[in-house]
Amino acid sequence: ASEVSALRAVAAAFAQVDGYGVARDAKRRQRESGVYLEGIQYGEVDPSAFAKALGWVSPADGERFVDLGSGTGKAVLTAAALHRFSCATGVELLEPLHAAAQRARAALPPEALRAAEVRLLCGDAFKHPWAEEGGVVFCTLTCLTDEAIAALERGCERLPRGARLIVTTRELKCHCLRLLRREKLPYGKGSLLFLAYERV
């Protein structure tokens, strides 16, 4: 399948998923129950822009893809539709967003996927063994706390050499990473700085 048809299939799968609405409702329910999870803010990738960012890191057939804080699964399913990953995994903490990702995954025809396996997990992304799994890792840093970013940087030390990391918004201060590219790309309702790194 061409990139255009793959992206069209992903867009169709998300036609009935209102990620911003789901996130807004989840946040309202948290506040009503007296819970506030710091550093969690919803935003969603633009599939064609994310396809461009993936192109910067040249995924190889059989590599694994991991999205830390995968929301409604748009980046995971875009990666799975475009590249022959052995596994594309998304880990999302908020159950309503995870459920929305599962709905989008169910709406995507199997023939639209190039990845051998797609896993959508509900849990804390930083407790997932992402560094051991990831050939290509994605994480939106925009609203993460300094503690979460420090945990991500520590995890980068465990990435195998040659693994790539795509992040947004801010540069990572990690001596084991080499910056491959930085560029503003469409994101959500505006644009965001994307940065691609390689583990050296």
Side-chain angles (χ1 to χ4, degrees), residues 41-61:
Q41 181 65 41
Y42 183 73
E44 48 183 54
V45 298
D46 173 281
S48 59
F50 192 63
K52 186 175 185 179
L54 282 170
W56 299 344
V57 300
S58 306
D61 290 0

Side-chain angles (χ1 to χ4, degrees), residues 109-132:
E111 63 273 13
L113 295 170
R114 300 184 82 196
E117 181 185 2
V118 175
R119 295 186 309 163
L120 298 168
L121 309 175
C122 190
D124 184 338
F126 290 106
K127 291 181 180 167
H128 183 78
W130 59 270
E132 292 74 19

Side-chain angles (χ1 to χ4, degrees), residues 130-131 151-160 165 172 174 176-177 199:
W130 59 270
L152 180 73
E153 289 174 335
R154 285 192 303 275
C156 289
E157 301 280 351
R158 299 193 314 275
L159 282 168
L165 176 68
L172 293 173
C174 197
C176 67
L177 298 175
R199 170 72 166 89

Side-chain angles (χ1 to χ4, degrees), residues 134-146:
V136 177
V137 178
F138 175 58
C139 186
T140 301
L141 305 184
T142 311
C143 295
L144 288 187
T145 62
D146 289 341

Side-chain angles (χ1 to χ4, degrees), residues 76-195:
V76 179
L77 295 180
T78 298
L82 291 174
H83 297 282
R84 296 185 190 282
F85 289 108
S86 62
C87 186
T89 301
V91 188
E92 172 53 46
L93 184 62
L94 297 180
E95 197 283 327
L97 290 172
H98 168 69
Q102 290 181 307
R103 289 195 301 277
R105 168 69 180 88
L108 197 60
E111 63 273 13
L113 295 170
R114 300 184 82 196
E117 181 185 2
V118 175
R119 295 186 309 163
L120 298 168
L121 309 175
C122 190
D124 184 338
F126 290 106
K127 291 181 180 167
H128 183 78
W130 59 270
E132 292 74 19
E133 278 186 18
V136 177
V137 178
F138 175 58
C139 186
T140 301
L141 305 184
T142 311
C143 295
L144 288 187
T145 62
D146 289 341
E147 291 78 14
I149 291 175
L152 180 73
E153 289 174 335
R154 285 192 303 275
C156 289
E157 301 280 351
R158 299 193 314 275
L159 282 168
R161 290 182 194 280
R164 280 88 68 226
L165 176 68
I166 301 169
V167 298
T168 65
T169 315
R170 40 196 285 196
E171 290 191 17
L172 293 173
K173 293 167 177 55
C174 197
H175 70 278
C176 67
L177 298 175
R178 177 172 68 92
L179 182 65
L180 299 173
R181 183 138 180 190
R182 53 177 287 151
E183 186 179 323
K184 271 198 165 186
L185 295 174
Y187 183 91
K189 298 174 179 178
S191 66
L192 208 55
L193 180 65
F194 279 70
L195 303 102

